[in-house]
Amino acid sequence: MNSEKRKAGFFSFALCGYFIFTAAAFGQAKISISGAVEWDKMEMGAAVTLDLASANIKLPTGRTQAESMISAEYLRLIRPGILSLPVDSSSTIADLIQRGEFSFLRAENIALDAKATPPSLSPDLLSLQASYSVSLAGISADLIRHSRPTEIRRTLTPVPAPAYSGIIIFAAEELPVHGMKSAALPLPCLFPKIWDTDMNLIYERTMLEQGNSGQAVMVRYTPAESVLRPGPSGLSAEIAAFAGTNPLRILARGCFGIRPTDLIIDREDALLIISSEANRRLLREGKVVIVLNDGVLKSRLEDR
């Protein structure tokens, strides 16, 4: 019995020593994250880099240890980027967790579900780097709670409107902020709302119909260069495949929200959308493209 106690005590001491050693190694090692949220690609790309000398790792024998250190630190480094993702004009993922509308565990699983590229050595052999890609479309689908979309606003006085193949809203310039004497560049988020100039709500997340793939994306963001190309449609091949060859083109008239993510369009343009079932379906299917300024389509991850 005493022998078993001694063995257990030795094991506990060794385990404690291992964790102390690991913590010390991690404390001395230089592990950093770089990357960005790219809204036009609907992904968060990150690269985690370990400086081998700072971790006292020598190759090739220490490669497995280096890969383990990167894997262990990835979650801590990517977490702030996921928590700070803007969900709508007033909330981030962190806000939803604080209000009990989303679980912290699910946020962690989002990070763990990232597509990972096997670690590779830098050309100078001084560091090891692994790349990860987190799908914003997957996060968006996770946040859709309704099983059936709500009805899209209709009008008692419909106007004649052709059946469009998609909706493109231009919002790449500074716009007046509703209710304020200021202007701002509209910003991206997972669930932007669209209002008309009478401040009727035209589009919001509960109107979206989830696809068979489980992916639920309200809008597609793109820079102006993708919709101002030479050629009959003026669209890049990627945007044309998404919005079709006969999209309704709209100029945003203003923006709205604590963060200016929500757009305001002319009442006349809104009527073209809500006057026919074919065009209302474009909203349900998320066939909406928002053209934003290049400078807001990418936000860099911070190394914390």
Side-chain angles (χ1 to χ4, degrees):
M1 190 67 165
N2 289 336
S3 175
E4 289 179 0
K5 285 183 178 179
R6 281 196 300 271
K7 287 180 181 178
F10 177 78
F11 177 76
S12 298
F13 177 79
L15 189 64
C16 181
Y18 168 78
F19 282 123
I20 291 172
F21 171 78
T22 303
F26 271 59
Q28 296 168 0
K30 294 179 182 176
I31 304 180
S32 61
I33 191 169
S34 60
V37 178
E38 297 182 77
W39 288 96
D40 54 334
K41 297 179 181 178
M42 286 301 284
E43 71 176 28
M44 177 188 294
V48 177
T49 304
L50 169 66
D51 179 86
L52 297 172
S54 69
N56 197 28
I57 290 176
K58 304 197 182 298
L59 298 177
T61 55
R63 176 157 185 147
T64 299
Q65 181 189 355
E67 291 182 0
S68 296
M69 291 180 73
I70 287 177
S71 180
E73 284 292 273
Y74 158 70
L75 189 58
R76 177 186 68 82
L77 292 168
I78 196 74
R79 187 184 293 125
I82 290 175
L83 295 181
S84 63
L85 269 176
V87 175
D88 52 34
S89 64
S90 61
S91 302
T92 62
I93 295 288
D95 294 327
L96 297 188
I97 292 172
Q98 188 173 17
R99 297 199 297 261
E101 298 172 17
F102 196 66
S103 74
F104 184 78
L105 179 60
R106 184 55 203 140
E108 300 277 86
N109 286 338
I110 286 170
L112 296 174
D113 287 342
K115 291 181 181 178
T117 301
S120 60
L121 285 166
S122 62
D124 58 12
L125 306 182
L126 297 179
S127 61
L128 190 70
Q129 183 180 91
S131 298
Y132 302 85
S133 176
V134 177
S135 167
L136 301 191
I139 298 174
S140 176
D142 243 1
L143 292 169
I144 294 289
R145 295 287 181 257
H146 60 274
S147 57
R148 182 176 299 176
T150 58
E151 283 293 319
I152 295 168
R153 176 183 290 271
R154 303 189 183 202
T155 176
L156 296 175
T157 55
V159 300
Y164 293 102
S165 58
I167 299 168
I168 299 177
I169 304 176
F170 291 82
E173 305 294 333
E174 284 196 349
L175 295 171
V177 180
H178 181 76
M180 300 179 68
K181 295 180 180 179
S182 63
L185 283 173
L187 301 176
C189 70
L190 294 177
F191 301 117
K193 293 178 180 177
I194 298 174
W195 308 79
D196 69 14
T197 42
D198 292 338
M199 294 312 291
N200 296 307
L201 182 60
I202 303 301
Y203 188 38
E204 57 103 18
R205 81 167 87 176
T206 63
M207 299 173 185
L208 187 66
E209 202 171 65
Q210 291 200 62
N212 295 329
S213 64
Q215 299 293 292
V217 178
M218 267 191 77
V219 302
R220 176 102 177 238
Y221 293 106
T222 194
E225 64 186 31
S226 294
V227 294
L228 298 174
R229 294 284 180 89
S233 72
L235 307 177
S236 68
E238 192 175 10
I239 296 299
F242 178 77
T245 56
N246 182 39
L248 171 62
R249 291 173 168 86
I250 297 173
L251 290 176
R253 296 303 181 186
C255 53
F256 185 48
I258 297 171
R259 296 178 76 255
T261 59
D262 301 348
L263 299 181
I264 300 170
I265 63 175
D266 277 332
R267 176 63 180 166
E268 290 75 12
D269 290 324
L271 286 173
L272 292 175
I273 298 171
I274 65 176
S275 288
S276 76
E277 172 57 27
N279 292 338
R280 288 192 295 272
R281 175 153 289 280
L282 297 176
L283 298 180
R284 283 196 291 273
E285 294 178 351
K287 295 283 188 180
V288 179
V289 177
I290 295 180
V291 181
L292 293 183
N293 188 282
D294 284 3
V296 304
L297 285 173
K298 182 180 288 188
S299 55
R300 299 204 170 276
L301 298 179
E302 295 181 12
D303 189 2
R304 304 180 188 181

